[in-house]
Amino acid sequence: MDLAFSPEETAFRHEISAWIRDNLPAGWGTPEFKEPKTFEERLEFSRAWEKRLAEAGWAGISWPKDYGGRGTTLMDQIIFHEEMAAARAPQIFINFVGINLAGPTIMAHGSEQQKKRYLPKILDMSEVWCQGFSEPNAGSDLANVQTKAVLDGDNFIVNGQKIWTSFAHVADWCLLLCRTDSSVAKHKGLSYLLVDMHSAGIEPRPLKQITGEAEFDEVFFTDVRVPRAQLLGEMNMGWTYANTTLANERGPAFLAHQIRFRNSLNDLFDSAKRTMRDGVPVAEHPAFRDRLARAYAEVEIMRYIGYRLVTSILRNGRPGVEGSIAKLYWSEMVRRFQETSIAIAGLGGMLDDEDGFDGGKWNRGFSMSFAQTIAAGSSEIQKNIISERVLGMPRGEVWAPKPKEKV
Ligand SMILES: Cc1cc2nc3c(=O)[nH]c(=O)nc-3n(C[C@H](O)[C@H](O)[C@H](O)COP(=O)(O)OP(=O)(O)OC[C@H]3O[C@@H](n4cnc5c(N)ncnc54)[C@H](O)[C@@H]3O)c2cc1C
């Protein structure tokens, strides 16, 4: 693999970094900048920032030109996300599902009419999307979806419940995976609807997370009428389309995570130099030095896992099992990293940074880290994939002692 960048790619890097420098919100990154705190504040902030990205044509950097995107190469997308990470620019938040999941799925399986209707409004940020896949009894076992859609003339009538639906209470549209045939094998009876979240009978109920905010919801559907024209692709082919959505969950932005983590690592080292424990800076304290060294080594490992993932995508057009290795390693590493940060912060880590304590800045990341090993496929599920596809272990067999023979 050649890791060097071509002159064109280097020029592209300069173009992006200049744009970011000129367009970051005023004062961003300085101590005076008042970062958004509540979900509502972050929502407002993200809408403005993501609109700015959209107007400059960066929102659709991974989208083909035919659909209004930039149609750039994977390397250029990586460069874009690397520069965003290096500048500590805000990450895509409110438009994540639209740009990364809804757009690519509609491009791959939608009718021409659907593409014309939905794609431009995703790209210009005028409509927000959510992903209605998980249910109380269908998370890891997604094919078990029970929300029912019954065809009645020109409409589907939808009844059921979704859960953990990020942004449902602010979304305009939903990617809804639902059951249209209960008489066949479970993954063969699913369909995929594009549902207007403002329809009568939809009730999102925000769920409070450990951070105290509610970014996701449980969503109840009661006799919701969805026009047949909003069926994606063919009836009962929803499982195939859902897999397209899931394959896009970890886009190229994920490849730049290690840069964001290197920034956090540098902040952690600064904090360790400033914070005193037992009369010495934490950075020199024997109880912390090994944890800091481990954090450093793990960010390095993540860099190489990232390169491996890029190689796999360049060779095969999509991530193979490397995607699961990266997700597992990254999310478990985040948990350990945030534990170290909170241990260094000591009691101050329990506070918010507005309380004026140095440690307060780590609080939110620590609380959020618990979600990382669950969202987008839990660690256990990633381990199953790795054990089956890399280690060749038998599928779905649960070890149990053999019953003793009767004598
Ligand atoms: C922050 C966040 C945002 C989310 N946003 C969305 C969203 O926008 N839309 C959406 O549809 N979903 C969303 N989810 C849901 C997410 O996809 C599910 O939580 C995830 O797939 C796990 O499903 P579950 O919660 O039902 O847990 P379960 O599948 O019930 O799993 C419970 C536990 O059992 C383990 N387990 C399950 N099956 C196996 C197995 N076969 N082998 C070994 N262990 C197993 C799991 O690892 C887990 O530890 C979000 C989740 C989080 C945390």
Side-chain angles (χ1 to χ4, degrees):
M1 177 188 176
D2 181 6
L3 292 174
F5 293 102
S6 68
E8 293 76 21
E9 286 164 348
T10 305
F12 186 59
R13 188 182 288 284
H14 291 320
E15 181 192 342
I16 290 162
S17 68
W19 185 88
I20 295 172
R21 207 179 43 240
D22 294 344
N23 285 278
L24 272 179
W28 177 257
T30 64
E32 292 74 42
F33 188 81
K34 200 172 171 319
E35 283 196 33
K37 289 278 170 209
T38 62
F39 177 72
E40 289 68 28
E41 283 171 4
R42 285 195 296 126
L43 198 65
E44 196 185 326
F45 175 82
S46 297
R47 278 191 200 275
W49 170 242
E50 289 169 36
K51 195 132 191 89
R52 196 176 281 195
L53 284 171
E55 280 161 7
W58 297 121
I61 186 163
S62 59
W63 284 27
K65 283 189 175 151
D66 287 352
Y67 300 122
R70 284 209 174 218
T72 55
T73 62
L74 178 68
M75 284 316 285
D76 281 353
Q77 292 168 46
I78 293 170
I79 290 168
F80 170 77
H81 291 293
E82 280 185 350
E83 287 304 309
M84 291 279 281
R88 299 186 184 223
Q91 297 195 69
I92 301 288
F93 175 64
I94 186 67
N95 207 16
F96 181 89
V97 174
I99 289 287
N100 294 299
L101 309 187
T105 309
I106 294 170
M107 281 177 221
H109 307 293
S111 64
E112 282 313 308
Q113 216 175 357
Q114 287 170 340
K115 289 176 191 172
K116 234 196 227 149
R117 161 66 187 83
Y118 299 112
L119 297 179
K121 288 182 188 288
I122 293 175
L123 209 52
D124 73 9
M125 269 285 303
S126 51
E127 290 178 341
V128 171
W129 284 71
C130 65
Q131 178 194 11
F133 281 21
S134 303
E135 294 184 2
N137 290 311
S140 306
D141 183 13
L142 186 60
N144 198 37
V145 157
Q146 297 300 325
T147 293
K148 263 208 176 96
V150 177
L151 199 53
D152 175 23
D154 280 343
N155 290 291
F156 287 96
I157 311 295
V158 178
N159 281 285
Q161 184 201 341
K162 295 288 168 181
I163 196 164
W164 320 128
T165 319
S166 302
F167 310 124
H169 56 295
V170 293
D172 301 295
W173 289 91
C174 178
L175 302 170
L176 190 79
L177 193 60
C178 49
R179 186 153 302 282
T180 38
D181 189 346
S182 305
S183 67
V184 289
K186 47 187 190 178
H187 64 281
K188 289 190 176 157
L190 296 171
S191 293
Y192 201 121
L193 299 179
L194 310 175
V195 177
D196 182 348
M197 286 297 283
H198 307 291
S199 314
I202 301 184
E203 188 195 349
R205 295 185 196 161
L207 292 166
K208 219 177 223 186
Q209 290 159 273
I210 193 172
T211 54
E213 293 165 26
E215 278 181 18
F216 54 28
D217 304 67
E218 48 184 349
V219 188
F220 294 86
F221 295 80
T222 311
D223 293 332
V224 179
R225 299 184 84 79
V226 181
R228 193 186 177 135
Q230 284 161 220
L231 170 73
L232 187 79
E234 291 172 38
M235 276 272 271
N236 297 324
M237 286 294 288
W239 185 246
T240 305
Y241 311 148
N243 277 303
T244 302
T245 307
L246 297 175
N248 282 286
E249 258 189 327
R250 288 188 292 279
F254 183 75
L255 301 171
H257 271 16
Q258 54 97 4
I259 297 183
R260 292 198 184 262
F261 262 88
R262 189 160 301 278
N263 295 338
S264 299
L265 188 70
N266 291 336
D267 292 350
L268 189 69
F269 287 165
D270 286 347
S271 179
K273 285 177 197 158
R274 278 198 310 267
T275 310
M276 300 296 285
R277 194 73 47 82
D278 301 328
V280 290
V282 161
E284 291 169 27
H285 197 297
F288 289 96
R289 283 178 68 80
D290 59 338
R291 293 177 82 166
L292 291 168
R294 180 176 186 168
Y296 174 85
E298 291 191 336
V299 173
E300 277 297 289
I301 292 170
M302 196 172 141
R303 180 152 70 101
Y304 289 106
I305 288 179
Y307 289 158
R308 212 166 141 201
L309 188 56
V310 176
T311 312
S312 159
I313 301 173
L314 286 173
R315 282 196 188 136
N316 312 315
R318 51 178 298 173
V321 77
E322 290 84 359
S324 288
I325 295 172
K327 172 21 167 94
L328 175 65
Y329 189 82
W330 167 76
S331 58
E332 295 286 340
M333 184 197 92
V334 172
R335 295 277 298 271
R336 288 189 290 274
F337 181 93
Q338 297 292 0
E339 265 173 30
T340 302
S341 72
I342 235 48
I344 290 175
L347 287 177
M350 298 297 110
L351 300 168
D352 195 84
D353 54 356
E354 286 205 330
D355 297 317
F357 280 84
D358 192 33
K361 69 176 283 199
W362 300 105
N363 185 305
R364 188 165 195 283
F366 174 70
S367 304
M368 281 304 290
S369 70
F370 293 92
Q372 313 292 0
T373 51
I374 304 170
S378 70
S379 286
E380 288 75 21
I381 296 304
Q382 307 307 333
K383 284 179 189 167
N384 282 351
I385 295 170
I386 296 164
S387 70
E388 285 158 21
R389 298 209 211 142
V390 180
L391 305 175
M393 289 168 75
R395 185 153 194 242
E397 279 183 29
V398 178
W399 183 86
K402 288 203 173 84
K404 283 204 179 97
E405 280 178 26
K406 281 200 178 132
V407 281

